[in-house]
Amino acid sequence: MSERPGEAFREYVDVRLPALHRLAYLLCQDRHRADDLVQDTLVKLYLKWDRAMAATNSHAYARTTLVRTFLSERRTNWARRVVLVDRLPDTASSTDPDAADAVAVRAALAGLPPRQRAVIALRFYSDLSVEETGYTLGCSPGTVKSQTAKGLAALRRALPHVEPDGTAPARTRS
């Protein structure tokens, strides 16, 4: 890394921006909102850059800042969550089953409460341990486990046609 803080921050952002944006998108389910969330996170990170660099894992520090910013926004400012449109959004027109599954999974994730969505994204997308996820969210490992179980159960209910191994469930004869 560079000696000057501005350059070090710029180099860090160049490397970590795609990962932060993907995590933000998983949490928000909206590309524009994810851009805003990443921007807010980077501002906070820049203001605390000395602390982030002193942390044992600067990537975890940034990820924690992003998730906590997301959860904080979900708790407050309800008007930002209300979206008024004059027409329904376009639906996916692809006949590719993988694209349809991806849309279904995104919709199911969007239906989860913010904390469960954050736990699922951190545990299964960012591949964090229970302890790392708890630290990121500021909660106990038991809370992470219960939120994970509730989130997975809700996803299974929302996606009954997909088994954990990616296959369709076997049909039984009546």
Side-chain angles (χ1 to χ4, degrees), residues 37-170:
L37 179 59
V38 170
Q39 183 176 356
D40 292 346
T41 299
L42 291 177
V43 167
K44 290 177 182 180
L45 189 61
Y46 184 78
L47 293 174
K48 304 284 185 180
W49 185 240
D50 292 338
R51 185 181 297 175
M53 290 287 65
T56 55
N57 185 342
S58 58
H59 305 309
Y61 189 96
R63 190 173 42 240
T64 298
T65 303
L66 184 133
V67 171
R68 289 183 180 172
T69 300
F70 166 73
L71 291 174
S72 175
E73 288 178 357
R74 299 302 290 192
R75 279 188 222 109
T76 60
N77 202 2
W78 66 269
R80 283 184 111 175
R81 291 183 272 149
V82 176
V83 179
L84 302 175
V85 294
D86 59 348
R87 61 185 173 87
L88 292 175
D90 296 332
T91 58
S93 60
S94 173
T95 58
D96 182 13
D98 292 337
D101 286 346
V103 169
V105 169
R106 281 192 210 111
L109 274 172
L112 293 178
R115 197 141 178 109
Q116 287 177 14
R117 191 177 328 143
V119 168
I120 296 295
L122 290 171
R123 292 282 290 126
F124 300 105
Y125 174 74
S126 295
D127 200 28
L128 297 185
S129 69
V130 170
E131 292 77 20
E132 292 169 323
T133 302
Y135 177 77
T136 299
L137 294 173
C139 63
S140 71
T143 301
V144 171
K145 291 176 186 178
S146 69
Q147 291 294 302
T148 301
K150 290 176 184 177
L152 289 175
L155 288 175
R156 286 184 188 109
R157 284 190 303 275
L159 303 167
H161 66 283
V162 179
E163 291 294 317
D165 64 358
T167 62

